Amino acid sequence: MRPKLHPYRMAESLQSNSTFQRPAFFILTGIPGLGDGQAWLTLVFGLMYLLALLGNTTLLTAIRIDSTLHQPMFLLLATLAVTDLGLATSIAPELLAVLWLGPQPIQYTACLIQMFFVHALTAMESGVLLAMACDRAVAVGRPLHYPILVTKARVGYAVLALTLKVVAVIVPFPLLVVRFKYFHAKIIHHAYCAHMALVELVVGNTWVNNMYGLALSLAVSGVDILGIAGSYGLIAHAVLRLPTQEARVKAFGTCSSHICVILAFYVPGLFSFLTHRFGRHTVPKPVHILLSIIYLLLPPALNPLIYGVRTKQIRDRFLEMIKSRRKQF
């Protein structure tokens, strides 16, 4: 049985026309309109989070202990796993508490921190997928030059540059919110502190926030998607030039895991973006919030499964780890 809401939460949930000075905390309500049905979603999203934790931790362990996996491709995969762990952990604990226990308070500063990490890690994941696409393009298109062109040091520099870029473009999000001193309400009708959900509460002109959010979405995701498409165009061109069908299938097979990961990340993201930007008055808000949660939790849960099943080196390493565990018992 779900615990009852504390009286102060019930009082806070009442709609008010008052204007508040910057509050010490907000109230996250979860998914509006679902009521007690939210508790059942705890099982679904809790399972996703558990898969993300176990899968990515196991993937990182396999890469760390197996020296044969200390290659540029697997270092990028390790970066993706770390990003997935951070992305899932940035929203899952608070999300599960809200869905199971009902509306929950979150401190103003904690809300801004969560907002930063959600958007930063999302942008980071998109950038890592682009880097992995470039890696595959070089591996397929110029296999003889691959060890020279793609080294562990260059991968490290690329990850560092990507991290600095993400921090630089995402830091304005909380700063653009901090400049507002008054809010219409303390209640965020969302399951986590999304930028636009918080902007809806402020008193003042939010044109800059809206335009920066739209421009950043188009610039970051748009550029990454174009880069990925260009990389796979080069891969397709190189594959079609191979002399035999067997060679073509083998070359394209090295990219199959990455394609699955791209689809798992960008398809829910595209639906979430379109419903938020163009379906605000036609798509029910609970649907938009559900899509945004799936967009953040589904890729971290699926990515290690995809690479664990479809990548022979990782699959073999997993089997060896399982066998060694059995021998210990």
Side-chain angles (χ1 to χ4, degrees):
M1 184 179 294
R2 294 177 61 190
K4 295 182 179 179
L5 294 178
H6 192 277
Y8 91 87
R9 293 179 188 159
M10 297 294 291
E12 284 289 339
S13 66
L14 297 175
Q15 296 295 327
S16 173
N17 294 322
S18 302
T19 298
F20 301 92
Q21 253 189 334
R22 185 181 298 157
F25 62 89
F26 293 104
I27 300 292
L28 290 171
T29 62
I31 305 173
L34 293 188
D36 292 339
Q38 289 189 128
W40 294 104
L41 291 176
T42 308
L43 300 177
V44 178
F45 295 133
L47 179 60
M48 285 186 181
Y49 184 45
L50 182 61
L51 286 175
L53 290 178
L54 294 178
N56 287 290
T57 301
T58 304
L59 186 61
L60 287 170
T61 302
I63 294 174
R64 184 180 64 84
I65 65 178
D66 190 343
S67 59
T68 63
L69 298 180
H70 295 177
Q71 303 171 26
M73 182 183 78
F74 296 107
L75 295 180
L76 286 172
L77 181 55
T79 304
L80 182 67
V82 171
T83 304
D84 282 337
L85 280 173
L87 183 58
T89 303
S90 67
I91 72 158
E94 189 71 33
L95 167 69
L96 297 177
V98 170
L99 294 179
W100 181 251
L101 300 174
Q104 295 289 304
I106 181 170
Q107 290 185 349
Y108 176 82
T109 303
C111 188
L112 294 180
I113 292 173
Q114 184 186 58
M115 179 178 65
F116 170 79
F117 277 105
V118 166
H119 292 289
L121 292 169
T122 302
M124 185 73 183
E125 178 134 353
S126 181
V128 173
L129 292 178
L130 172 59
M132 296 174 78
C134 295
D135 171 79
R136 291 298 85 204
V138 177
V140 174
R142 304 187 65 180
L144 297 179
H145 297 89
Y146 178 80
I148 300 173
L149 296 175
V150 183
T151 64
K152 290 188 286 186
R154 287 180 177 176
V155 168
Y157 291 138
V159 171
L160 177 60
L162 176 59
T163 303
L164 294 176
K165 184 203 78 170
V166 166
V167 171
V169 299
I170 300 299
V171 160
F173 270 142
L175 296 181
L176 287 173
V177 174
V178 167
R179 66 195 179 100
F180 294 104
K181 296 182 179 180
Y182 295 95
F183 291 76
H184 292 295
K186 300 179 181 179
I187 305 166
I188 301 176
H189 295 288
H190 211 292
Y192 61 91
C193 290
H195 175 247
M196 293 311 299
L198 197 55
V199 168
E200 290 176 357
L201 304 182
V202 304
V203 177
N205 188 345
T206 60
W207 183 86
V208 174
N209 299 70
N210 294 330
M211 288 300 101
Y212 187 78
L214 178 59
L216 190 61
S217 297
L218 295 176
V220 173
S221 298
V223 169
D224 290 347
I225 290 173
L226 288 176
I228 291 171
S231 296
Y232 274 95
L234 295 174
I235 290 172
H237 178 69
V239 168
L240 292 175
R241 293 173 60 187
L242 294 175
T244 65
Q245 181 69 21
E246 182 181 356
R248 294 173 187 173
V249 172
K250 184 178 180 180
F252 195 72
T254 62
C255 306
S256 59
S257 297
H258 186 245
I259 293 173
C260 293
V261 168
I262 288 172
L263 294 176
F265 180 74
Y266 282 111
V267 171
L270 179 62
F271 278 106
S272 179
F273 175 79
L274 292 177
T275 55
H276 178 75
R277 292 293 174 182
F278 306 107
R280 188 174 300 180
H281 301 294
T282 56
V283 178
K285 190 165 186 177
V287 174
H288 165 65
I289 296 176
L290 280 172
L291 285 174
S292 67
I293 295 172
I294 291 171
Y295 169 54
L296 296 176
L297 287 182
L298 185 63
L302 289 183
N303 290 349
L305 295 178
I306 292 171
Y307 274 101
V309 170
R310 302 187 66 87
T311 305
K312 184 179 184 301
Q313 298 97 314
I314 295 177
R315 186 171 63 246
D316 291 345
R317 185 66 227 181
F318 281 162
L319 293 175
E320 290 178 10
M321 291 171 63
I322 293 173
K323 289 178 182 178
S324 64
R325 288 288 183 181
R326 286 180 177 176
K327 289 179 180 179
Q328 290 178 2
F329 293 102

